[in-house]
Amino acid sequence: MRCAAVLAIAVLLVFPPLASAQTVAGKAKVVDGDSLEIGQHRIRLWGIDAPEFKQTCTRGKERWSCGYAATDALRRHLDGAIVQCVTVDKDRYGRLVAKCSSHQRSISEWMVGEGWATDYARYSKGTYARAQAKAKSAKRGIWSGTFEKPEHYRHRPH
């Protein structure tokens, strides 16, 4: 029992829980299709998974830089707007995982609805499934052809 208590304290010291939801707001620098920086805060958008910056997708026989396109779409969408993020968690890289909005709309929902990210159902529990279905049906963004799920792409050697 004593050993379990010591282990629990050690885990909390290494991985402290978020005390409460933190709000971060300001002009965001887009890192990639699902990551931002606001001031010194590195932020992962909650509930979505966008193609990695160097990831390519296919339309017919043509390969295109869908990771760059997703990043660029988010950059153009935000274009100097004030972004508000409410933290949900921290990821293994120390980034804040947050629900962010701009233009009075969820950024994650916009990215999925425009076809530049997928609903990361493992975490979102299907929050953006309807937006994804509409983007897929309309063949927007990455749905205009074929692509490898970003999480599969990340786990493959490059």
Side-chain angles (χ1 to χ4, degrees):
M1 187 73 167
R2 184 166 189 225
C3 213
V6 169
L7 180 60
I9 291 169
V11 167
L12 287 173
L13 289 173
V14 175
F15 301 104
L18 291 174
S20 63
Q22 175 184 3
T23 300
V24 176
K27 291 186 179 181
K29 176 185 173 209
V30 174
V31 176
D32 62 24
D34 52 27
S35 302
L36 309 170
E37 288 180 357
I38 299 176
Q40 78 276 15
H41 300 283
R42 292 179 23 216
I43 300 166
R44 171 76 156 83
L45 296 173
W46 178 84
I48 68 170
D49 203 12
E52 296 301 309
F53 188 75
K54 292 184 177 182
Q55 187 171 344
T56 59
C57 297
T58 306
R59 280 191 201 114
K61 293 182 182 184
E62 176 191 345
R63 296 191 68 71
W64 60 288
S65 300
C66 57
Y68 176 81
T71 302
D72 192 52
L74 181 54
R75 191 174 287 125
R76 282 182 284 122
H77 176 64
L78 296 180
D79 193 28
I82 298 298
V83 172
Q84 282 199 316
C85 299
V86 178
T87 61
V88 175
D89 202 355
K90 272 193 177 181
D91 69 10
R92 63 183 174 176
Y93 305 108
R95 295 178 296 187
L96 299 174
V97 177
K99 295 180 179 181
C100 299
S101 61
S102 70
H103 310 292
Q104 289 77 48
R105 184 169 182 201
S106 161
I107 296 170
S108 293
E109 183 175 19
W110 185 86
M111 286 295 288
V112 173
E114 292 299 312
W116 296 119
T118 61
D119 176 35
Y120 210 173
R122 178 186 326 158
Y123 300 103
S124 76
K125 307 293 186 234
T127 299
Y128 306 113
R130 288 183 67 186
Q132 179 170 292
K134 287 180 182 180
K136 186 175 181 179
S137 171
K139 298 185 184 311
R140 286 194 288 263
I142 58 177
W143 299 104
S144 65
T146 58
F147 64 94
E148 182 176 12
K149 284 186 172 185
E151 69 179 311
H152 294 163
Y153 177 85
R154 279 192 299 279
H155 293 100
R156 191 166 61 71
H158 298 282

